[in-house]
Amino acid sequence: MTIKHYLLSLLLLMAMPIAAQQKLFTLEDLNFGGRNYHSLRPQNMFLTWWGDQLVQTDVEECQLIDAKTGKKTKLFSLDDINKWAKSDDKRQVRHLTNATFPYPDKPIVAVGNRMAYILVDFKAKQVIWQDSTSLQDANDWSPQSRATAYLKNHQLCVADGEGHEHQLTTDGSREIVYGQSVHRDEWGITKGTFWSPDGQRLAFYRMDQSMVTDYPQVDLNPCIEPCIAKMQPDKYPMAGTNTHVVTIGVFDLRTQNTIYLQTPPSPYAAIPSQPSAPCYFTNVAWSPDSKHIFLQELNRDQNDCRLVSYDAETGKREYQLCRETSDKYVEPLNPILFLPWDQNQFIMQSQKDGYNHLYLYSIKGECIKQLTNGPWVVLDVLGFNQKTKSVVIASNEKHPLQRNLYAVDIATGKRTPLDNGEGVHRGVLSEGTGTLLYDKWNNPTTPNNIDVVQMAKGKPQAKNLLTAADPWADYVQPIFESGTLKAADGVTDLYWRMVKPHDFNPAKKYPTVVYVYGGPHAHNVEASWHWYSRSWETYMAQKGYIVFILDNRGSENRGRDFEQATFRQLGQVEMQDQMKGVDYLKSLPYVDSKRLGVHGWSYGGYMTISLMTNYPDVFKVGVAGGPVIDWHWYEVMYGERYMDTPQQNPDGYAKTSLISKAKNLKGKLQIIIGYNDPTVVPQHALSFLKACVEAETQPDFFVYPGEGHNMMGHASVHLHERITQYFEDYL
């Protein structure tokens, strides 16, 4: 054997164990649309509550879990359910992962097949009820009355527990919309029907959008001849234009009558004659006795919010419980919650003291006390522990990047920690007395842990159910880091994440991409696995890039003033903070400041183009996905909250528009959109391209026909390969 052959053989032998243990990622592994994505997710468990008993719901069977020991006992199998239901091929239940137990004190499981929603008594081993409406749209089922609300040919219908159909409406259409989410899903709205606690009354939204202008979307794949693209318009209320009118109906199962709440007339004009008149109705809540409905009513300017009570039988407006105003905006996101042990008191969330906190109110609107306070945010209310008379919350009191669980004593306000005090915890409270919770948590080095926690008086007791192994253990992994820097105001701490190649060498110079979102109701950095890193960052680090992410002022979970710093000037403060991040990058000897890129989607697309045109000599390459270009063309509810109307704030709209900035473009910019985007409509990107033509600048453009605001399925793999390739070609 020659020396050359010997050395070659030795190198091959040395490389073999590395290749076997240190694989390289592909986008099929990392992207949610990839073929191997799910096999590289951390191990998890499907869990649900049967009263105060924990149940694991797997594909093939449901098992009861002892909260003290973690021991599992089989309840029933998938074969059992199909046997007891006498299922044929069309009616077979396919899996049990979505099984629920709607009655805390009864051995009844709710499952669905392709034809019906069924209740099975697994002690008696028989089906005790099934509906007949599961093939309809927008199902909303009440466990109490077993009635189902659903849509049929635009009309709202209710099938009672006996299967009798009641058609509630006759004028439903594309323009008159019933029983669906309204106000473009703002203020926490996710649905359009709301059953009363006793299941006998259904509150529902009615939205008249006939006065809202159509945006001319195009369907490229018509199903009928001739094969010509056809119009498929969206109702899209742009800032400063007419918005829709919403009212709320109430259907009574017992009387089969429908009444409408006597809400004040809703002004829909661009500039209402009564600026304080309510325009938006949100956070529908029922009283525990099912006799009253509570709404938070918000004016068009979104700076005057009132909590109001209505009689559910007559629709009469009863009284105003409280009112909150602001010189910027008020943003109600959560319905009130009544104490299970006292129907005359409820909890309301508000950030009126600067941070989102809990307040205890009486049914007459008296603020009894503030339950939580401090320079931190209540992130969620999980429910109530009825034995200790406490409310269970998630907050970032421990650290702005963490999410921890606490029980708050209603009488004293004392907070009892319910977890280990680290990382990000997402708990689900038991549905009986609320004395237990299961807690799925992770931290920067821990993929996934699941504990079940008993919350008796004294120190909570946790039993670990799962400690997930690192699903990336066989792969070459990048280096994940996090830190802080000061915002452009010189005072505020901002948190960042950096992803470096696995073989990072501080003596080298690396091309660096700033990934940005920057807008409200989102954050990019937290103390979860890999510091909340997006898997695309791992792909880029594997290719030799550094990726840097900074949460600027205007992002979420840092308090009212932190978010409202951007009021009436979206993008401006955010850019100042992002450039502080760039200054930090330039101070690092291993960052090649001549090869800086920027990428973001939606608000991040807006930020990408903003940075490239306001700082054209800084960024060499950018990829902007689904970008807002001019806030004139964004929706009323979101746009006017942060910018006011164009009529009220013409200078702000002019300053934040990117149309006039098209002439500043120097670097290589690729704009990508979904051709049928209903959120940031194509007018944004197309108008910017037109401005670039007139200014003789040269962006690149790519469109995904038939896709919306985000690329779905395997198209997402294609998208991220395209984004990556653009940086490979030009950075």
Side-chain angles (χ1 to χ4, degrees):
M1 180 181 289
T2 66
I3 293 293
K4 180 179 179 182
H5 287 152
Y6 172 78
L7 291 174
L8 180 59
S9 299
L10 184 62
L11 287 171
L12 288 172
L13 286 170
M14 292 173 61
M16 284 178 65
I18 296 174
Q21 297 173 11
Q22 297 291 295
K23 304 174 186 176
L24 294 179
F25 290 104
T26 70
L27 284 175
E28 298 290 354
D29 301 321
L30 293 170
N31 188 270
F32 69 85
R35 296 181 178 91
N36 195 41
Y37 173 74
H38 291 288
S39 66
L40 290 180
R41 303 300 297 157
Q43 184 184 357
N44 204 351
M45 298 171 69
F46 293 101
L47 297 171
T48 191
W49 288 105
W50 172 22
D52 288 324
Q53 299 185 84
L54 185 60
V55 179
Q56 181 173 355
T57 58
D58 278 337
V59 173
E60 295 291 339
E61 65 180 20
C62 288
Q63 299 180 86
L64 202 62
I65 301 177
D66 188 297
K68 293 182 179 179
T69 66
K71 181 181 177 181
K72 299 178 183 180
T73 305
K74 177 183 172 182
L75 281 178
F76 49 81
S77 70
L78 180 62
D79 288 341
D80 291 336
I81 292 293
N82 281 315
K83 178 182 176 181
W84 300 334
K86 298 180 174 63
S87 301
D88 55 26
D89 288 342
K90 290 184 178 179
R91 297 178 181 270
Q92 276 201 348
V93 178
R94 304 293 178 180
H95 60 84
L96 295 176
T97 54
N98 295 328
T100 60
F101 298 79
Y103 307 105
D105 55 349
K106 297 178 181 179
I108 295 173
V109 61
V111 292
N113 58 34
R114 293 181 178 180
M115 305 296 291
Y117 188 64
I118 62 176
L119 298 180
V120 180
D121 185 323
F122 52 87
K123 296 292 186 184
K125 301 180 180 180
Q126 63 182 11
V127 173
I128 61 170
W129 181 88
Q130 71 175 40
D131 78 351
S132 56
T133 59
S134 62
L135 297 182
Q136 306 296 339
D137 294 329
N139 283 1
D140 188 0
W141 181 71
S142 166
Q144 287 71 32
S145 62
R146 296 181 183 172
T148 305
Y150 58 97
L151 293 175
K152 186 176 181 180
N153 300 322
H154 296 293
Q155 309 307 330
L156 182 60
C157 302
V158 168
D160 61 28
E162 303 300 320
H164 302 126
E165 182 178 276
H166 307 275
Q167 184 172 320
L168 279 55
T169 66
T170 58
D171 61 341
S173 65
R174 179 175 162 268
E175 297 195 330
I176 307 295
V177 178
Y178 286 100
Q180 297 186 53
S181 177
V182 299
H183 302 324
R184 296 189 67 84
D185 299 343
E186 297 295 329
W187 306 292
I189 299 173
T190 59
K191 54 182 291 191
T193 53
F194 311 88
W195 282 107
S196 60
D198 65 5
Q200 295 300 317
R201 288 188 171 119
L202 178 75
F204 61 89
Y205 279 128
R206 178 187 190 270
M207 178 171 63
D208 179 356
Q209 53 182 2
S210 59
M211 69 291 295
V212 176
T213 303
D214 281 335
Y215 183 83
Q217 296 279 14
V218 176
D219 179 5
L220 296 178
N221 300 295
C223 298
I224 58 175
E225 297 291 343
C227 295
I228 300 172
K230 64 179 181 181
M231 293 290 293
Q232 195 176 58
D234 287 333
K235 288 290 184 179
Y236 196 98
M238 290 185 177
T241 68
N242 290 348
T243 185
H244 50 240
V245 173
V246 168
T247 49
I248 297 172
V250 182
F251 172 72
D252 193 315
L253 264 176
R254 291 158 296 203
T255 65
Q256 298 182 28
N257 290 329
T258 298
I259 57 98
Y260 280 84
L261 303 187
Q262 297 172 21
T263 52
S266 178
Y268 61 84
I271 304 181
S273 57
Q274 302 176 39
S276 63
C279 189
Y280 306 120
F281 303 104
T282 185
N283 296 317
V284 176
W286 281 95
S287 62
D289 62 8
S290 301
K291 293 181 179 179
H292 308 274
I293 293 175
F294 300 88
L295 302 178
Q296 286 177 309
E297 302 179 348
L298 191 64
N299 65 335
R300 175 77 180 251
D301 280 345
Q302 302 186 46
N303 58 12
D304 190 342
C305 182
R306 309 176 191 219
L307 177 64
V308 180
S309 171
Y310 287 86
D311 187 306
E313 183 176 359
T314 65
K316 182 180 178 182
R317 184 184 180 95
E318 295 176 316
Y319 54 90
Q320 177 177 299
L321 285 84
C322 58
R323 181 182 184 185
E324 185 176 341
T325 60
S326 170
D327 59 352
K328 294 185 174 69
Y329 56 85
V330 181
E331 191 175 9
L333 292 169
N334 302 281
I336 62 173
L337 293 171
F338 282 87
L339 305 185
W341 55 87
D342 188 343
Q343 298 188 4
N344 294 313
Q345 294 184 1
F346 63 86
I347 286 175
M348 186 170 74
Q349 297 186 49
S350 170
Q351 55 176 354
K352 60 186 177 183
D353 78 340
Y355 297 88
N356 190 56
H357 281 298
L358 305 186
Y359 296 81
L360 183 65
Y361 275 82
S362 76
I363 190 66
K364 294 301 181 182
E366 173 196 4
C367 184
I368 299 171
K369 60 182 174 181
Q370 184 172 350
L371 281 175
T372 61
N373 61 80
W376 46 271
V377 173
V378 173
L379 301 169
D380 193 14
V381 175
L382 278 61
F384 297 94
N385 182 331
Q386 297 183 41
K387 288 191 176 180
T388 61
K389 293 189 176 179
S390 58
V391 57
V392 180
I393 67 169
S395 81
N396 62 1
E397 175 179 358
K398 193 83 174 178
H399 190 279
L401 298 188
Q402 292 189 189
R403 178 188 178 97
N404 297 104
L405 308 178
Y406 298 85
V408 183
D409 188 289
I410 297 294
T412 66
K414 179 184 176 182
R415 294 187 296 281
T416 301
L418 300 176
D419 58 39
N420 60 12
E422 61 182 68
V424 171
H425 294 252
R426 300 189 181 278
V428 178
L429 207 60
S430 63
E431 296 175 355
T433 61
T435 53
L436 296 97
L437 65 83
Y438 67 80
D439 173 17
K440 295 187 177 183
W441 64 273
N442 57 77
N443 62 34
T445 58
T446 303
N448 189 29
N449 268 271
I450 303 178
D451 298 333
V452 58
V453 181
Q454 299 181 75
M455 298 181 293
K457 288 189 176 180
K459 186 177 180 180
Q461 300 296 316
K463 174 64 180 178
N464 180 256
L465 301 179
L466 172 70
T467 298
D470 184 351
W472 291 10
D474 293 338
Y475 288 78
V476 175
Q477 298 189 37
I479 300 166
F480 301 94
E481 298 175 349
S482 182
T484 63
L485 55 82
K486 292 297 182 184
D489 63 4
V491 176
T492 307
D493 284 334
L494 303 178
Y495 294 91
W496 54 259
R497 174 177 69 250
M498 184 178 289
V499 185
K500 298 175 179 176
H502 76 283
D503 57 352
F504 172 73
N505 181 350
K508 289 180 60 177
K509 291 274 190 180
Y510 290 89
T512 300
V513 177
V514 175
Y515 176 77
V516 61
Y517 181 78
H521 291 296
H523 66 279
N524 279 319
V525 186
E526 69 177 28
S528 58
W529 193 40
H530 296 161
W531 296 103
Y532 202 39
S533 176
R534 299 168 66 250
S535 54
W536 176 77
E537 298 161 23
T538 291
Y539 192 58
M540 291 295 284
Q542 183 175 274
K543 288 181 172 290
Y545 296 84
I546 288 174
V547 185
F548 181 79
I549 299 90
L550 175 73
D551 280 336
N552 51 248
R553 283 173 295 165
S555 54
E556 68 178 356
N557 298 341
R558 296 289 305 279
R560 180 192 62 201
D561 295 344
F562 186 91
E563 181 179 297
Q564 293 189 350
T566 66
F567 184 61
R568 289 186 126 224
Q569 53 170 345
L570 289 180
Q572 310 312 298
V573 168
E574 300 94 310
M575 280 193 290
Q576 294 170 22
D577 286 353
Q578 289 295 329
M579 291 308 295
K580 286 297 180 181
V582 170
D583 289 344
Y584 171 68
L585 290 175
K586 288 181 175 180
S587 74
L588 302 175
Y590 49 81
V591 168
D592 188 344
S593 61
K594 294 181 180 179
R595 289 189 293 165
L596 289 181
V598 59
H599 166 51
W601 200 272
S602 191
Y603 201 103
Y606 171 66
M607 288 295 296
T608 295
I609 300 178
S610 295
L611 288 165
M612 289 202 69
T613 55
N614 282 276
Y615 303 93
D617 296 316
V618 173
F619 297 97
K620 184 178 180 182
V621 182
V623 178
V628 173
I629 295 297
D630 190 306
W631 293 103
H632 281 93
W633 305 324
Y634 202 66
E635 62 188 39
V636 165
M637 298 82 189
Y638 182 105
E640 292 181 6
R641 179 187 312 133
Y642 305 115
M643 289 290 291
D644 283 335
T645 66
Q647 296 89 340
Q648 294 166 323
N649 184 21
D651 292 341
Y653 276 82
K655 182 180 181 180
T656 59
S657 173
L658 299 179
I659 294 297
S660 63
K661 311 291 195 308
K663 64 181 182 297
N664 299 339
L665 181 64
K666 288 185 178 181
K668 294 294 296 184
L669 170 65
Q670 178 175 227
I671 300 171
I672 305 175
I673 67 169
Y675 187 70
N676 297 90
D677 191 338
T679 304
V680 181
V681 293
Q683 179 174 342
H684 287 270
L686 298 176
S687 297
F688 185 75
L689 293 175
K690 183 175 184 293
C692 287
V693 172
E694 294 171 352
E696 299 183 1
T697 52
Q698 294 283 347
D700 293 317
F701 186 53
F702 192 84
V703 172
Y704 283 87
E707 295 287 344
H709 191 51
N710 299 101
M711 307 311 118
M712 306 306 293
H714 204 260
S716 180
V717 176
H718 185 279
L719 166 68
H720 285 86
E721 190 58 68
R722 181 167 194 88
I723 295 169
T724 304
Q725 192 59 50
Y726 202 76
F727 288 114
E728 289 279 79
D729 289 344
Y730 298 109
L731 196 64

